[in-house]
Amino acid sequence: MAHPPIKLKQSASTSAAQTLTTSSSAQDARLLVRETLRISANLADLAAQPLSSSSSPSHLSAALVDSSEFVNSSLRLICCEEIDGRRWSYVAEKDASGRFKKGSSIRALSSHAPQTPPIEEVMSFVRSYVLPEGFPDSVTSSYVPYMSWRALKHFFGGAMGVFTTQTLLSSVGVSRNRVAPGAVAINWILKDGAGRVGKMIFARQGKKFDYDLKQLRIAGDLLMEVGAAVELATAAVPHLFLPLACAANVAKNVAAVTSTSTRTPIYKAFAKGENIGDVTAKGECVGNIADLLGTGLSIMISKRNPSLVTTFAFLSCGYVLSSYREVKSVVLHTLNRARFTVAVDSFLKTGRVPSLQEGNMNEKIFSFPWLKEKPVVLGSRFRDAFQDPGAYLAVEPLFEKERYIVTYNPSKGKIYALLKDQAKSEDILKAAFHAHVLLHFMQSSNENRSSSQKQGEYDHPDIVATDLEARIAESCKMVSTSYGIFKSKAAEQGWKMSESLLNPGRARLYGNDKLR
């Protein structure tokens, strides 16, 4: 098949009459190819129209990429292309009639792209390493503040690493005057081995890295600073190098496990499409660059022998503050225990569910998962919830149609949600909502009781028990009418609910129907 002639610029009378020569005998094939070439030529005409109408010939040469190399030669332009700021023109040899020669190959000629200022080239180079492709449309709006605080945190961390390493090496040097070099090497190996053991032990936290990742991230960063403080303490007591260095390395490795385990869920919250790998790579690059800058600056400062206490206080405060702001800037769409509490409290007080930004901003970051002092216990054991059989028999009929039981233990001041063996995901979520509703009622009741006691009025124990049963019955009525509304409003705000993120206990009730 002979190559068809294509003209970039044609008049209206000639563009409608494109010529096509072919040796194929199929009429349908000829019509299809003719229409394709006609449409392509029209599109080329539209693209070249503004440039050809210009009075300056420099515009045309800039658009037709080095046209002087082939306009008056045996080459004919096919099309132009631009990629990464560079322009190319594709040409092929033509015959005497102006058509493409049979069997001629396509040649690519580089064009002269518009001159880019050096500063723009440098910024483009930097953006290619620190920003995901398609930025800012490829990530959420919280990506920039998170990365800014992350970079600052790694800057302080890199600076701190210089002083801790210098202190450890100095402590080992003092020890060399008393022990053999082989023993020094063994001490250093034992220090690293203790850190690895601590890392393996802490890895059993497992699921907590998913539903309490903000709390664990800030706890890990605090632990990292504790480890740095212990490493610096070896300068004061170099003869205790081994125990102190082992303890510090355990703390820092546990912090490293926390940071690594919570990294992917955070980056996943920023990615808008299937670009989690790109977001992760650029985020790690930002951290490494900031770490190197902090290391370089710290090396220059360390030559002046600054005070270790003053230096540690400054760098540690900067690190912790940056870590806190970094974690607070993350906007997650899931309702874990802390964000669920914020959402339910707002719903009960105002009738609305907070937005994603409001819920994440009001989340308690320093509510660590291992602390047991929480007002609501989900999936608790029977002996923790009830003090005597009468208390259980009084509230059990209220939950006859539910797969959970919610009660309040006055002696412990906590709400307990007990799950039955048939409880499913929806039942666990409803039980958590019911527990917070009852907590709201009990807090209001306790406030009223406190005001009465200030006036010299004291409630009889039987009145308190009766009031508790009334509060539980009132909470049941409210949950039956408001739980569906809460779920609907939460979905409208973009929240995702999952019972696993609420971390329910593993205890389940069964056989309780025999008591009726």
Side-chain angles (χ1 to χ4, degrees), residues 497-514:
M497 301 175 61
S498 174
E499 89 288 347
S500 60
L501 296 177
L502 300 180
N503 189 24
R506 292 177 293 179
R508 297 294 185 270
L509 295 179
Y510 67 93
N512 53 322
D513 55 339
K514 297 180 180 179

Side-chain angles (χ1 to χ4, degrees), residues 298-356:
S298 185
I299 290 175
M300 292 187 293
I301 296 176
S302 64
K303 295 180 180 179
R304 301 183 180 182
N305 296 321
S307 170
L308 284 181
V309 176
T310 304
T311 304
F312 171 77
F314 174 74
L315 295 178
S316 180
C317 290
Y319 185 90
V320 173
L321 176 62
S322 301
S323 174
Y324 175 77
R325 297 303 304 172
E326 173 197 25
V327 172
K328 290 292 288 185
S329 63
V330 179
V331 178
L332 300 175
H333 293 220
T334 54
L335 282 175
N336 67 340
R337 183 73 68 89
R339 292 186 291 277
F340 187 85
T341 300
V342 172
V344 176
D345 288 347
S346 175
F347 176 77
L348 295 176
K349 294 177 181 179
T350 65
R352 58 179 293 271
V353 175
S355 63
L356 296 177

Side-chain angles (χ1 to χ4, degrees), residues 17-145:
Q18 295 288 341
T19 59
L20 177 65
T21 59
T22 178
S23 60
S24 175
S25 59
Q27 182 66 21
D28 293 340
R30 289 199 300 269
L31 291 175
L32 179 61
V33 174
R34 183 183 296 113
E35 284 299 311
T36 302
L37 292 175
R38 183 183 64 81
I39 295 173
S40 300
N42 289 338
L43 292 176
D45 287 340
L46 292 175
Q49 188 70 30
L51 294 170
S52 61
S53 61
S54 175
S55 59
S56 176
S58 61
H59 296 328
L60 183 61
S61 61
L64 295 181
V65 283
D66 279 341
S67 59
S68 59
E69 296 184 9
F70 53 84
V71 165
N72 297 322
S73 65
S74 60
L75 300 179
R76 180 178 176 183
L77 179 65
I78 301 176
C79 64
C80 304
E81 179 183 66
E82 181 176 347
I83 178 172
D84 295 334
R86 294 193 62 184
R87 295 179 179 178
W88 299 81
S89 62
Y90 292 92
V91 297
E93 294 183 1
K94 62 182 179 180
D95 55 18
S97 62
R99 300 177 180 178
F100 293 109
K101 285 185 178 181
K102 293 183 178 180
S104 61
S105 59
I106 298 177
R107 294 172 56 184
L109 300 178
S110 176
S111 67
H112 296 293
Q115 187 66 27
T116 303
I119 186 63
E120 287 294 330
E121 294 182 357
V122 173
M123 294 303 297
S124 177
F125 176 80
V126 173
R127 283 194 293 266
S128 65
Y129 279 91
V130 300
L131 295 178
E133 292 187 12
F135 177 86
D137 298 330
S138 59
V139 292
T140 61
S141 58
S142 58
Y143 176 83
V144 173

